[in-house]
Amino acid sequence: MSREEEMGALEEGRFDPEVSDNTVGEGAGGPAMGTMENAVRVLLMGLGEDSEREGLRKTPIRVAKAFREGTRGNNEFVDAFVGYRQKVEDIVQGAFFPEAGLNNGIGHAGGDGGLVVVRDINLFSYCESCLLPFSIKCHVGYIPSGQRVVGLSKLSRVADVYAKRLQEPQRLADEICQALQNSIRPAGVSVALQCWHIQFPKVLKCINLNLPRHPSRSSMQGWVHTSVCSSTGVFEQKKSSFSDDFHTLLQFSGANFDLSNTGCSIHSWCLLRSLDVPESNDDMMRNNLLNGRIFSKPVVSHTSMVAAVASIILSLGEDPSRKELVGTPYRYVHWLMNFSRSNIDIRQNGFLLNAINSHKSSNGYIHRENEINSELNLPFCAQCEHHLLPFHGVVHIGYFHDEEKKDIDRSSLQTMVHFYGCKLQVQERLTRQIAEAVYSVLGRGVMVVLEANHICMVSRGIEKVGSSTATIAVMGQFSTDITAKALFLEAISKVTAAVGP
């Protein structure tokens, strides 16, 4: 869709066909919140979902709040959209402290103007190319001047202000760096960012399946990683050691910052960026059908879904016609369509029955103890139906081997995990559905453990960085055999200890 068509759809209000104006929470959030909630309802309808079903009834207001919280800072002086409106001067004002040992000269610790570094500031921002959150570890260093230092917590608060905007890594680093330089007037500032961007579910599905050992269970498994830097003042001087000292101190905290490999193109950073905007609004649906995905007939058109996302961007205080954002609504809809409601059931279409094969004992994944088979660390990515944000992690499946039946190979189980993950989900339901599907074929005993990281837990107001969730579903013999459960959990524990978190 062209830029003119997108903006025309937004201006004509085509994103809101037959959607009620009775907006939950509009009184508290104002017209902008109401617009975003209506837009989310359109997206749910386009995915073939019923926005009035129990699990989705409050999704519009949750998503609107998530976008609002994700694009503002945490400052009590501004009511809304702080990420765009808050001034850095408001943060650092009153946070300067005189330090008698600092003269006007520039030197090292123990002399004048020693290096100050704040490391491992955990942030989340929204990618301007696709509206998906990306994870950030921010490191800030500066050289004090003028016989004063700034409160260390203010460095992280300034970084948070600029993260709470639609961003891309290099611009984020530049904006943080320049803001600190202008506001605290040091001899120099250096900002280093390590950023991770989630990939398509189909990419996560295939990752690490052919490795000779179990893949890592890192919370960033399969994500695109880039490192960027921005510097001012003395950090830019070619013969200065300040930059080397800064990155050496980062290594002390485990941040192995490769200066020779910093930065990447926007297309390699956000894989959706290279997506061609189709001339026809129905191209996406047609391509999905040709690729074997069968969806419910959409209630609203693709045009309306794209215009709905454009209205969300506008409600956040951004300009959807800005060149970096022109294709963003389409890319976000393209991401969502990975999780469209399906009319088929994997247990009814013959997939599992056709996929039962004998195991290859050399694949390195099979653990047999008392006839228990286990397939560990099957990666997945799903979309939280409460916030329309991804959650991702690994699935461990244990089942009793039946001599009368052959086992299910790993690739078939991975495909099944991918099938149930690629829809609007909650972790508890996903765990149960996988267990039921395996049990329907094997019928003896199945245990599923699902470990996940939820972006909605860290990219919204609660910001519980590093938190993870685990769920268990047991069926058949595992329900009564305590020893079998313990053996399977021990197998997971051994792999975790071997490869690390």
Side-chain angles (χ1 to χ4, degrees):
M1 180 187 298
S2 68
R3 170 177 169 179
E4 291 76 13
E5 288 174 326
E6 285 186 11
M7 293 305 295
L10 177 59
E11 291 170 358
E12 295 171 16
R14 295 206 302 268
F15 76 95
D16 192 22
E18 300 181 8
V19 176
S20 171
D21 290 331
N22 297 325
T23 305
V24 179
E26 181 167 338
M33 284 288 287
T35 298
M36 287 191 285
E37 290 172 36
N38 279 344
V40 174
R41 291 188 181 92
V42 172
L43 295 177
L44 292 174
M45 293 167 65
L47 292 174
E49 291 283 358
D50 177 9
S51 61
E52 292 302 315
R53 75 170 170 85
E54 183 60 34
L56 296 177
R57 193 171 299 162
K58 294 184 178 180
T59 294
I61 190 170
R62 292 191 187 106
V63 174
K65 289 176 64 177
F67 271 121
R68 178 172 169 172
E69 292 172 358
T71 54
R72 70 175 187 176
N74 300 314
N75 185 273
E76 62 274 18
F77 300 114
V78 182
D79 293 329
F81 311 123
V82 177
Y84 286 101
R85 296 184 181 177
Q86 186 174 3
K87 296 181 180 180
V88 172
E89 289 77 6
D90 295 336
I91 295 177
V92 300
Q93 186 177 14
F96 291 108
F97 304 96
E99 188 59 38
L102 298 177
N103 297 321
N104 291 326
I106 298 172
H108 294 273
D112 298 324
L115 174 63
V116 179
V117 179
V118 177
R119 301 173 291 197
D120 298 330
I121 304 170
N122 290 308
L123 303 170
F124 261 78
S125 187
Y126 277 80
C127 174
E128 68 179 8
S129 296
C130 64
L131 293 189
L132 293 176
F134 64 93
S135 174
I136 307 157
K137 267 196 185 302
C138 174
H139 316 279
V140 179
Y142 83 102
I143 306 295
S145 65
Q147 293 186 314
R148 63 179 187 174
V149 296
V150 68
L152 296 178
S153 65
K154 305 306 179 184
L155 301 180
S156 62
R157 292 186 66 184
V158 169
D160 189 58
V161 164
Y162 288 95
K164 291 295 182 3
R165 303 181 179 188
L166 303 185
Q167 283 286 11
E168 61 90 12
Q170 187 60 61
R171 186 173 70 245
L172 176 58
D174 292 341
E175 289 182 346
I176 295 172
C177 186
Q178 197 59 52
L180 290 173
Q181 179 66 43
N182 294 339
S183 60
I184 65 180
R185 302 293 180 183
V189 177
S190 187
V191 174
L193 303 182
Q194 297 169 285
C195 304
W196 292 264
H197 192 303
I198 198 167
Q199 292 199 46
F200 273 119
K202 62 183 179 183
V203 177
L204 292 174
K205 168 189 170 183
C206 300
I207 192 166
N208 287 332
L209 294 186
N210 297 318
L211 292 181
R213 59 183 300 175
H214 295 286
S216 169
R217 296 195 308 129
S218 167
S219 63
M220 294 304 167
Q221 175 186 335
W223 289 40
V224 177
H225 172 257
T226 188
S227 299
V228 295
C229 294
S230 185
S231 301
T232 62
V234 295
F235 288 99
E236 295 182 297
Q237 297 175 6
K238 293 183 178 180
K239 296 184 178 180
S240 171
S241 64
F242 287 110
S243 182
D244 291 339
D245 293 344
F246 174 55
H247 288 281
T248 298
L249 291 177
L250 298 190
Q251 292 177 359
F252 288 173
S253 67
N256 295 317
F257 216 88
D258 185 1
L259 289 177
S260 64
N261 190 35
T262 57
C264 67
S265 71
I266 188 66
H267 288 82
S268 60
W269 159 248
C270 176
L271 299 182
L272 285 169
R273 183 72 184 183
S274 59
L275 202 64
D276 292 330
V277 178
E279 295 180 1
S280 169
N281 297 330
D282 296 322
D283 279 357
M284 180 190 300
M285 188 63 67
R286 185 181 299 110
N287 289 335
N288 281 325
L289 290 171
L290 290 175
N291 290 330
R293 297 207 54 162
I294 304 174
F295 301 113
S296 301
K297 183 178 181 180
V299 180
V300 297
S301 69
H302 177 226
T303 304
S304 297
M305 294 177 71
V306 170
V309 179
S311 75
I312 291 174
I313 294 174
L314 190 63
S315 297
L316 294 175
E318 267 284 8
D319 179 8
S321 65
R322 178 162 65 87
K323 65 177 182 178
E324 294 86 357
L325 296 175
V326 168
T328 298
Y330 169 78
R331 297 186 195 102
Y332 183 66
V333 171
H334 187 87
W335 164 269
L336 284 182
M337 293 304 290
N338 282 281
F339 307 93
S340 296
R341 185 175 180 179
S342 173
N343 285 329
I344 62 176
D345 191 305
I346 199 169
R347 290 169 293 174
Q348 298 174 355
N349 69 358
F351 165 77
L352 283 182
L353 295 178
N354 295 331
I356 296 178
N357 300 304
S358 56
H359 270 306
K360 298 178 180 179
S361 59
S362 61
N363 66 6
Y365 290 96
I366 306 306
H367 296 270
R368 294 181 180 273
E369 296 186 32
N370 296 339
E371 299 182 333
I372 299 176
N373 289 356
S374 62
E375 293 288 357
L376 309 182
N377 288 351
L378 297 161
F380 80 93
C381 179
Q383 192 85 339
C384 171
E385 71 176 33
H386 296 156
H387 301 97
L388 295 189
L389 288 171
F391 66 98
H392 61 97
V394 291
V395 179
H396 314 291
I397 302 175
Y399 59 94
F400 278 93
H401 176 67
D402 193 331
E403 294 296 338
E404 298 180 357
K405 297 181 179 180
K406 295 181 179 180
D407 303 330
I408 303 176
D409 64 18
R410 179 177 176 86
S411 63
S412 300
L413 290 175
Q414 178 66 74
T415 300
M416 181 176 60
V417 169
H418 180 67
F419 174 86
Y420 285 108
C422 280
K423 48 179 59 68
L424 300 188
Q425 275 286 13
V426 295
Q427 183 172 339
E428 298 87 345
R429 184 192 308 142
L430 177 58
T431 310
R432 173 179 53 80
Q433 287 177 338
I434 294 172
E436 288 176 346
V438 178
Y439 186 70
S440 69
V441 175
L442 300 177
R444 182 176 173 189
V446 175
M447 183 171 177
V448 174
V449 176
L450 193 150
E451 300 179 274
N453 296 86
H454 289 251
I455 291 182
C456 61
M457 291 278 288
V458 293
S459 65
R460 295 164 54 242
I462 50 178
E463 297 184 352
K464 298 302 180 183
V465 177
S467 64
S468 62
T469 57
T471 48
I472 296 177
V474 295
M475 302 190 73
Q477 189 171 338
F478 275 103
S479 301
T480 56
D481 192 335
I482 298 177
T483 302
K485 289 174 62 177
L487 285 172
F488 178 56
L489 293 174
E490 183 181 358
I492 298 174
S493 177
K494 287 179 179 178
V495 172
T496 302
V499 303

